[in-house]
Structure formats: C-alpha cells, structure tokens
Amino acid sequence: MQFDYYVPTKILFGKGQLANLHSQKLPGQKALIVISSGKSTRENGYLARVEEELNLAGVLHIVFDKILPNPIKTHVMEGAALARKEGCNFVIGLGGGSSIDAAKAIAVMATNEGDYWDYVTGGSGQRKPVPNDPLPIVAITTTAGTGTEADPWTVTTKEETNEKIGFGYEKTFPVLSIVDPDLMLTVPPHLTAYQGFDALFHSTEGYIAKTADPISDLYALKSIELIGKSLAKAVANGKDEDARADVALANTLSGMVESLSSCTSEHSLEHALSAFHHELPHGAGLIMISKAYYTHFANIHACDDRMIAMAKALGKTDATSAMDFVDALCALQSACGVAELKMSDYGIDGNNLEKYAANARETMGGLFLVDPARLSKEDCIRIYEESFR
C-alpha cells in the first residue's frame, strides 16, 4: 500500500467564515479580486463584503470582472496583465469554479512570460515548465461544484482551437480557502443541481479511477453520501442551511479527491462538448452523458465492487450490482429536476458526434489512461449517441 498525500490549503469551513478573512495572515498587500462577468457577486453583496474584509486587514485591492462560465485564455492573459500593471502580489478568486479557476491561471501568468498555452500539457499546449512561482491564491467560493478551493486544478478554453484543458501543479493550490455555505443560499435551483452533480462526478470518477488510494476513497465515499443525502433538498429549498452545508462539504471533499486521485474520461468527454458550446454549463454536460457513461462500465463489469459501494453511499443501501449505482444516479437526477436535459438545446450536433470524441482525446487524452477499463473511440461515440436527444 503506497500513496502520496498533499493538500496544503488552509480551509476555513462553515457558516459565517467570510467574516474571519480579515484576521487571517494574507499573502500580500495588494490583491487582484477575480470575479465573473455576471451580476450576482455584486448584487448579492459578496464583493462588497470581501472588500470590507480586505479594508479591515489593510490590504489594497482592485477587481477584474470579465470571467465567463467557461473561462477563456484571452481573459487569463488580460487579468495577468492587469495584476502586473497594478502591482498586485496575490490573487483572490471570488465566486464559483470559473472565477477561482481563472484566478489560478492568472496567478501563473502574472509572474511568467509568454502565453498561458506555453505551459499547458494537453492538446496544442507547449508543455514548458513554469519558471517562476505563481502569485499566491486565495479562494472564496460562492458555489458548491468544482472543489477548486481544495485542489490545484484550473480549466481554461483556448477559443481559437476549441481546446478546453485542465492545468495545475503543486504551486497552484490556494494558500487559503473560505467555504461559507451562507454565500451559497442565493444560487438558483438549476445551478445548484448542475454544480452538485459536478462535485458528485469528481468523487465518483476519483473513486473508480486507477489512481484511487485509501485516503481519496474515504473522501470520495463521504462526498457521495452527503450529495445523496442533501443535494435534492438544496435544490428544492435553497435556504435550507443544513442541506447547503452538506453539499458545500461534499464539494470541498471532492476537491481533495481530485488532489489525491484523478478525474476519468467522463470529464474529457464533457470538456469536448463545452469547448465548442461555451454556453453549456459544465455540470449540465456531465449530467447528460453520465447515465450512458456509467452504464458502459457496469455492462463490461469494469469496477463492479466500486460501483456497488457508490450506490450504497448514494442511498441505495441494498445495492448488489453495478447497475444499482446507475439507478441511484438517475433517481437523484430526477429528484433534482435535471433528468431531461437535452444536448440539442445547446446546439450540439447529433450528426457529428465524432468531432467531440476526437477532441476529447486530443485535448485531455491523459484522463482516458486512468479509466477502470479502456474506452475506444467507438465507445466514446456510442456514449454520446446514447446520451443525445
């Protein structure tokens, strides 16, 4: 039995924790606050609260507010240029996974020359080593979806080539993360569901991946259990503080799973969809392909014991077969009102699914290597076909 454990982020978890930001040892004197291009961070008062905390700490700050739901390289480079121009010496990602992911990428490029894609290791990335340490990163999450507050990963799209690729290394872990479920009470039901299933799949993929270890297994099963217990409740009543806290903890645990294990090709297959269709929420794309994806592994008996364990964690305590997990997954999607999502509603071309299968392998082919069994190109196309409507 061997494993490496490295999750160096300090995490403040729980109701009201944002109010403790000013009392923390912050990693600099001037922050670039990275938020989305939407209105919610300002309208809900979250930006103002963070700025007040920084004022109490005597920390200067400026705001970069262009991040899209699927972050793009152009904005990474623009945010990094602003950080350099303004003399910022740390970056705060405030918002959902997109804002925090973008903050990590901006932190890398604020201290390094060239283009962000010089350092990306997939697709057309140049795979160069990063010469200078990134700026320190503080993550303040207002959603429960990506687990990015507890892992080093960031996902960015290169618009010119439709490549959506993950990147990260030990230096892109946040030094401090605040997970305050109070900041999630305003997330609307459909986004609560999309984000919750993203967190679920980080844990299920990390649990069936070849890279799983005894510690990631503990975190994964607990995360799956919490989502099975409380995601539908959070979708039905966004003001349910206990449900929000459960899903927030599940999300943070899923980030730890990602730090210790890995995603599988489910994420590669979804990234190929949202790389071409930027308006497709990542979690929604994962939901669309998930039934066919896990049914494939159940049918070939690639990881029966692990799928049975996931079914039990998700609430089907009498599970005896791998398909019991698929049944529990579909039941949860129905309970959350997302079982009928359609690829065609987002402009995905059902007559050209080979394009997405090829993109998945070309950009994030490494994740196929940790699948519990080999997925062929034909398998990928069939998963898309069975998912399409």
Side-chain angles (χ1 to χ4, degrees):
M1 185 183 297
Q2 291 183 331
F3 59 86
D4 294 336
Y5 184 98
Y6 186 69
V7 184
T9 303
K10 179 178 182 180
I11 298 173
L12 303 184
F13 184 98
K15 180 180 175 64
Q17 284 282 25
L18 180 57
N20 294 318
L21 176 62
H22 72 277
S23 64
Q24 302 303 301
K25 183 180 179 181
L26 296 174
Q29 297 77 44
K30 187 172 185 179
L32 179 74
I33 306 175
V34 178
I35 65 173
S36 77
S37 60
K39 299 178 180 178
S40 62
T41 310
R42 284 190 168 94
E43 288 185 348
N44 292 321
Y46 303 149
L47 176 60
R49 289 181 61 190
V50 169
E51 290 179 319
E52 180 183 358
E53 288 292 310
L54 294 177
N55 290 337
L56 288 172
V59 171
L60 301 174
H61 45 86
I62 59 170
V63 176
F64 182 69
D65 60 358
K66 296 189 177 183
I67 305 306
L68 302 175
N70 285 298
I72 59 175
K73 181 174 73 72
T74 296
H75 292 153
V76 168
M77 299 303 297
E78 190 175 338
L82 179 62
R84 287 195 299 270
K85 176 185 174 184
E86 296 292 335
C88 297
N89 50 16
F90 74 108
V91 182
I92 297 176
L94 170 63
S98 300
S99 297
I100 299 172
D101 275 17
K104 294 176 182 178
I106 287 169
V108 171
M109 294 314 300
T111 59
N112 288 284
E113 299 298 323
D115 185 86
Y116 178 64
W117 234 246
D118 292 343
Y119 308 111
V120 169
T121 56
S124 65
Q126 297 302 299
R127 298 166 173 79
K128 294 180 180 179
V130 183
N132 302 315
D133 287 355
L135 295 179
I137 302 147
V138 173
I140 303 172
T141 182
T142 62
T143 67
T146 66
T148 190
E149 69 271 15
D151 70 38
W153 308 115
T154 169
V155 177
T156 307
T157 298
K158 183 180 180 182
E159 315 95 288
E160 314 93 275
T161 55
N162 293 308
E163 293 176 282
K164 183 179 179 183
I165 300 179
F167 172 79
Y169 67 121
E170 63 179 24
K171 301 289 187 179
T172 49
F173 273 101
V175 297
L176 171 67
S177 290
I178 292 179
V179 185
D180 185 339
D182 282 355
L183 306 184
M184 303 170 190
L185 297 174
T186 55
V187 180
H190 69 290
L191 293 181
T192 298
Y194 298 165
Q195 294 156 8
F197 276 100
D198 188 14
L200 174 66
F201 295 131
H202 286 157
S203 292
T204 58
E205 291 176 45
Y207 188 66
I208 67 172
K210 291 179 180 177
T211 48
D213 67 47
I215 308 303
S216 66
D217 285 353
L218 292 172
Y219 290 156
L221 289 175
K222 186 62 179 180
S223 175
I224 294 167
E225 175 192 328
L226 289 167
I227 288 172
K229 171 188 173 188
S230 294
L231 179 58
K233 294 178 184 177
V235 171
N237 176 15
K239 303 300 182 184
D240 184 332
E241 293 187 3
D242 290 338
R244 287 289 190 187
D246 279 351
V247 177
L249 178 55
N251 180 57
T252 298
L253 291 173
S254 79
M256 294 178 183
V257 174
E258 288 306 283
S259 298
L260 302 172
S261 181
S262 175
C263 282
T264 64
S265 61
E266 183 181 17
H267 263 67
S268 304
L269 293 171
E270 195 295 316
H271 281 178
L273 299 177
S274 49
F276 286 96
H277 305 278
H278 297 175
E279 70 283 2
L280 172 63
H282 175 54
L286 288 168
I287 291 167
M288 291 173 187
I289 64 175
S290 60
K291 179 180 179 181
Y293 183 83
Y294 288 97
T295 296
H296 171 80
F297 288 120
N299 286 341
I300 65 172
H301 304 288
C303 48
D304 285 5
D305 289 347
R306 290 198 162 242
M307 292 186 71
I308 291 168
M310 292 193 302
K312 291 179 177 178
L314 207 53
K316 193 171 180 60
T317 55
D318 60 348
T320 57
S321 74
M323 278 303 296
D324 284 331
F325 171 71
V326 179
D327 293 342
L329 175 64
C330 292
L332 182 60
Q333 290 174 355
S334 294
C336 292
V338 294
E340 302 302 322
L341 293 175
K342 295 180 180 179
M343 290 185 182
S344 56
D345 287 345
Y346 293 91
I348 294 169
D349 182 3
N351 296 315
N352 194 17
L353 297 175
E354 274 193 51
K355 173 179 73 173
Y356 306 111
N359 180 280
R361 288 186 176 279
E362 290 165 2
T363 59
M364 295 194 69
L367 296 186
F368 287 85
L369 301 178
V370 301
D371 282 340
R374 179 181 176 273
L375 271 186
S376 67
K377 179 182 177 181
E378 291 71 28
D379 292 332
C380 296
I381 295 170
R382 186 170 60 255
I383 287 169
Y384 283 138
E385 288 174 342
E386 292 175 356
S387 304
F388 186 83
R389 57 174 177 262

